[in-house]
Amino acid sequence: MDAACSTQLIDGDGTFNVSGVDHFIKEVKLEECGLSYAVVSIMGPQSSGKSTLLNHLFGTNFREMDAFRGRSQTTKGIWIARCAGIEPCTVVMDLEGTDGRERGEDDTAFEKQSALFALAVSDIVLINMWCHDIGREQAANKPLLKTVFQVMMRLFSPRKTTLMFVIRDKTRTPLENLEPVLREDIQKIWDSVPKPQAHKETPLSDFFNVEVVALSSYEEKEEQFKEQVYNLRQRFFQSVAPGGLAGDRRGVVPANAFAFSAKQMWQVIKENKDLDLPAHKVMVATVRCEEIAHEKFASFIANENWRELEEAVHSGPVYGFGKKLSPILQSFLSEYDTEATYFEEGVRSSKKQQLQEKLLQLVQPTFQDLLGHLRSGALENFKDAFEKALNAGEGFSSSADSCALSCMSKFDKGCEEAVIEQANWDTSKTREKLQRDIEAHISSVRTEKLSELTTLYQSKLNLALSGPVEALLDGANDETWPAIRKLLKREAELAVYGLSDALSGFDMDKETRNKMLTDLEKYARCIVETKAREEAGRALMRMKDRFATIFSHDSDSMPRVWTGKEDIREITKMARSASLKLLSVMAVIRLDDELDNIEKTLTLALVNPTSNNATNRSISTIDSLASSTWEQVAPEKTLITPVQCKSLWRQFKNETEYTVTQAISAQEANRRNNNWLPPPWAILALVVLGFNEFMTLLRNPLWLLVLFVGYLVSKALWVQLNISEEFRNGALPGLLSLSTKFLPTVMNLLKKLAEEGQAPPSTNTNQTAMSSSAQSEVTTNGEISSSSSSSGSSPARSVPIDTSS
């Protein structure tokens, strides 16, 4: 950032630099800003880093202290500069530090006057203070602010000024713990200030907006300090806009009158007689006692015994912490008393109290860490003891109570050993937290154990009900639902009894216990209903399986052979009735033993829909299936609606029709095979009409040989052409197929016969001469076999017939 030029507004003697201010206003062109400008000032103890903060925050070039030359006054009087890179135009004033040794005790009126001037002129006042000064009187500027508040109300009309307390070198104490202390101190100062009649009831908020920010150490954490300053800088952009840091301003003078207005205010402040110095004795006591307290505090921080104790607590619990730390604290407080004996008693006591509070504030985080270790250790011990007690079979409630009592007793003993003499710290909150943690763990384990028990008995119910219910519904009959009800009642009672016995050790209230048992009974019923709904979804498949079983097997469970004597119509009706019975059983849930007429309705509507004597009644019954509910049955108990039953039955009949047709076809085929002889009238006609041909054969036996040979050839062709198989698909396809195979088959047959005739005779010495007349016969596998008519034992030769054509 570009640094703007800095000018001394008021010198160390209190002289207002008129010419320098005029030159500054011209250089920064302040007169052109109108009302769009803001004034920021900073006040605080000498050498507290005010100039350094301003230079980093606003890009100014105020002179900073050289730490290597010692701590001394750097800024004298009041200096002014313009902030670099911030809009709107922002003017910053660097005030001489308060509580400086250079001015001494007799000239601190300038500090009061400059602070009052800053409050009167500025829109935003930064109060720079060390973190460890919070809660003090002089270092925290309490007397200064008290005087300024009182005089400001008498001299000036109310104007909204933002007081921003900048806490430097923030320690481990959280900001949310520091800020309430500051705000409380500011409010106390305001309440204690005597107010003129016009402002008796005026609240602090009419004069000031109070802001609190914290910054890390510039020397020890420079990067973190710069990052925090950069974030703070963003808040000064557009500060005069509504909602900005200086957005609620009253009585703002134009920029071209700033120099005149500032000069007049300084003159009024210089002439005021209420800004008197505090008593010399009190001031000396305050400064010296504070120095002694600072030395003792720094010595305590560097004390080896304390550091070892602090590191030990960070690693784990330290037993006897209070007995070890109390002597260390007392030794430093005693040293303070020895060195501050001759100073004013009130100041000495106040600073000792502040030192003790500061030491306790430093020690308290370690004490809290120790309580945390004790609490976590006690909780872990409780968990282990509780788990072991449960694993040993002890009751849940008795184990929880005994383990919790033992754990809390050990924790209380550890807290007594941790408390130090100088502090009255309350350990009840940590104890309450431990108690809550134990109760939460007990509740968690109780929930887990109850969930495990519930899951266990639910699993047992699933195992005991799912399979049997499925089997009972698969064999649906009139006793199915009574058997299911009996099964459900028995298994539910067993599960409820087992769970009730398991819950006896949990010390539960009656209402919760009854609810768990009731829920288990409902779960058992839900298992049955769920399984019934699953089986209802497979109703069509079950119906077809039952139909196929009854239709295809006899009363001895043997497969039926359709010989022609069976009454297929009656068998079909019986099988369909059994399937309808299954459909009626699966149509609704019958766990409450309520009567219904579902089976009768389905029978009248689907099996006997067209009775000759009850046509009107059948039509009415069929119409009763055109509904989504059953009479006398609640909708939630319906598994298959009447409309769905009608649809399922139609689909069932269509899909089983083929089985019936096949049975009828098989029966007719069997009948045809058994009736191979022609009718008696045909036989009589053959005898009468074929008498002459029969006599001709008797007169000429050679025709018998011709017919026999023709029979053998025809038989061979029948087998080779597989005529019965060819005509299975119809007459026309069979004739077309035979027309293509007939000639090749005949030629192949003749070829085989010729090859057999040219074969040489056998030379077996044990055989007699082959007979010249041979008989040919056709084997059942389609081969022609030639056998000798002699009494020899040579085997027949088979001639295979090629049917590839």
Side-chain angles (χ1 to χ4, degrees), residues 650-675:
R650 185 185 300 110
Q651 188 176 354
F652 163 75
K653 289 184 66 176
N654 291 337
E655 294 184 11
T656 57
E657 193 69 32
Y658 179 75
T659 303
V660 179
T661 303
Q662 287 292 98
I664 295 173
S665 300
Q667 195 177 61
E668 292 178 352
N670 194 289
R671 288 175 180 173
R672 286 195 301 269
N673 292 336
N674 291 336
N675 295 336

Side-chain angles (χ1 to χ4, degrees), residues 532-552:
R533 295 184 188 279
E534 291 178 3
E535 293 303 311
R538 295 193 287 266
L540 179 61
M541 181 185 69
R542 298 290 192 195
M543 291 167 64
K544 291 191 295 183
D545 290 345
R546 177 166 291 192
F547 177 86
T549 300
I550 297 176
F551 186 81
S552 302

Side-chain angles (χ1 to χ4, degrees), residues 580 584 596-606 617 621:
L580 187 69
S584 66
D596 58 69
N597 57 352
I598 294 176
E599 182 178 2
K600 182 179 179 181
T601 302
L602 291 176
T603 302
L604 293 175
L606 302 177
R617 184 181 64 185
T621 306

Side-chain angles (χ1 to χ4, degrees), residues 223-264:
E223 293 301 325
Q224 188 174 354
F225 171 82
K226 291 181 178 180
E227 180 181 356
Q228 293 169 349
V229 168
Y230 174 81
N231 294 332
L232 179 60
R233 174 183 170 84
Q234 308 307 310
R235 301 185 62 183
F236 289 87
F237 284 86
Q238 303 301 326
S239 59
V240 299
L245 286 177
D248 189 10
R249 303 190 299 169
R250 297 177 227 168
V252 181
V253 298
N256 56 9
F258 174 76
F260 176 78
S261 175
K263 180 180 178 181
Q264 293 299 317

Side-chain angles (χ1 to χ4, degrees), residues 18-299:
V18 178
S19 60
V21 172
D22 291 339
H23 176 74
F24 170 79
I25 291 176
K26 291 179 181 179
E27 284 291 324
V28 301
K29 300 179 180 180
L30 184 62
E31 294 178 343
E32 301 175 4
C33 296
L35 297 177
S36 181
Y37 74 101
V39 180
V40 181
S41 61
I42 188 168
M43 58 183 289
Q46 177 179 299
S47 303
S48 60
K50 301 188 300 301
S51 300
T52 302
L53 174 61
L54 294 179
N55 291 340
H56 282 85
L57 185 60
F58 299 113
T60 55
N61 63 347
F62 294 119
R63 183 179 169 216
E64 299 179 10
M65 184 190 72
D66 188 354
F68 293 97
R69 294 184 179 180
R71 306 184 68 83
S72 61
Q73 187 181 53
T74 303
T75 304
K76 295 183 180 181
I78 300 176
W79 290 74
I80 189 171
R82 177 177 177 172
C83 303
I86 295 182
E87 292 296 335
C89 177
T90 302
V91 177
V92 60
M93 294 192 304
D94 188 11
L95 275 66
E96 179 179 323
T98 62
D99 198 19
R101 68 180 180 84
E102 285 79 7
R103 285 190 177 273
E105 299 176 355
D106 298 329
D107 200 16
T108 56
F110 181 82
E111 299 172 359
K112 310 284 186 177
Q113 294 168 349
S114 61
L116 181 56
F117 176 78
L119 284 169
V121 174
S122 305
D123 300 300
I124 305 168
V125 177
L126 305 180
I127 300 178
N128 196 58
M129 59 190 307
W130 299 110
C131 182
H132 51 255
D133 287 338
I134 295 177
R136 297 176 176 175
E137 284 292 326
Q138 299 298 329
N141 300 305
K142 287 184 180 180
L144 173 64
L145 287 176
K146 184 174 182 180
T147 304
V148 167
F149 284 168
Q150 181 177 357
V151 177
M152 184 177 178
M153 284 190 299
R154 184 167 58 83
L155 294 178
F156 309 103
S157 60
R159 67 188 305 270
K160 203 74 166 183
T161 304
T162 298
L163 293 182
M164 178 176 287
F165 288 83
V166 182
I167 302 174
R168 303 292 296 276
D169 292 5
K170 179 182 175 299
T171 61
R172 291 181 296 179
T173 304
L175 179 61
E176 55 266 26
N177 293 343
L178 298 174
E179 183 174 351
V181 176
L182 276 175
R183 291 187 178 274
E184 183 180 355
D185 290 345
I186 296 295
Q187 187 63 45
K188 286 181 179 179
I189 293 173
W190 179 261
D191 294 339
S192 65
V193 168
K195 303 179 182 66
Q197 190 63 32
H199 298 298
K200 282 288 185 181
E201 304 298 329
T202 303
L204 174 66
S205 57
D206 282 0
F207 284 86
F208 302 104
N209 288 325
V210 178
E211 298 277 348
V212 180
V213 297
L215 300 177
S216 300
S217 172
Y218 173 68
E219 296 179 356
E220 298 177 1
K221 301 178 180 179
E222 183 177 354
E223 293 301 325
Q224 188 174 354
F225 171 82
K226 291 181 178 180
E227 180 181 356
Q228 293 169 349
V229 168
Y230 174 81
N231 294 332
L232 179 60
R233 174 183 170 84
Q234 308 307 310
R235 301 185 62 183
F236 289 87
F237 284 86
Q238 303 301 326
S239 59
V240 299
L245 286 177
D248 189 10
R249 303 190 299 169
R250 297 177 227 168
V252 181
V253 298
N256 56 9
F258 174 76
F260 176 78
S261 175
K263 180 180 178 181
Q264 293 299 317
M265 285 186 179
W266 178 247
Q267 184 177 351
V268 172
I269 292 172
K270 286 278 288 181
E271 294 175 355
N272 180 62
K273 303 301 181 181
D274 293 338
L275 298 177
D276 295 331
L277 295 175
H280 176 76
K281 183 178 180 181
V282 174
M283 177 62 72
V284 172
T286 301
V287 173
R288 185 62 190 131
C289 289
E290 190 169 302
E291 290 178 352
I292 296 172
H294 273 299
E295 292 174 1
K296 299 310 169 187
F297 183 77
S299 299

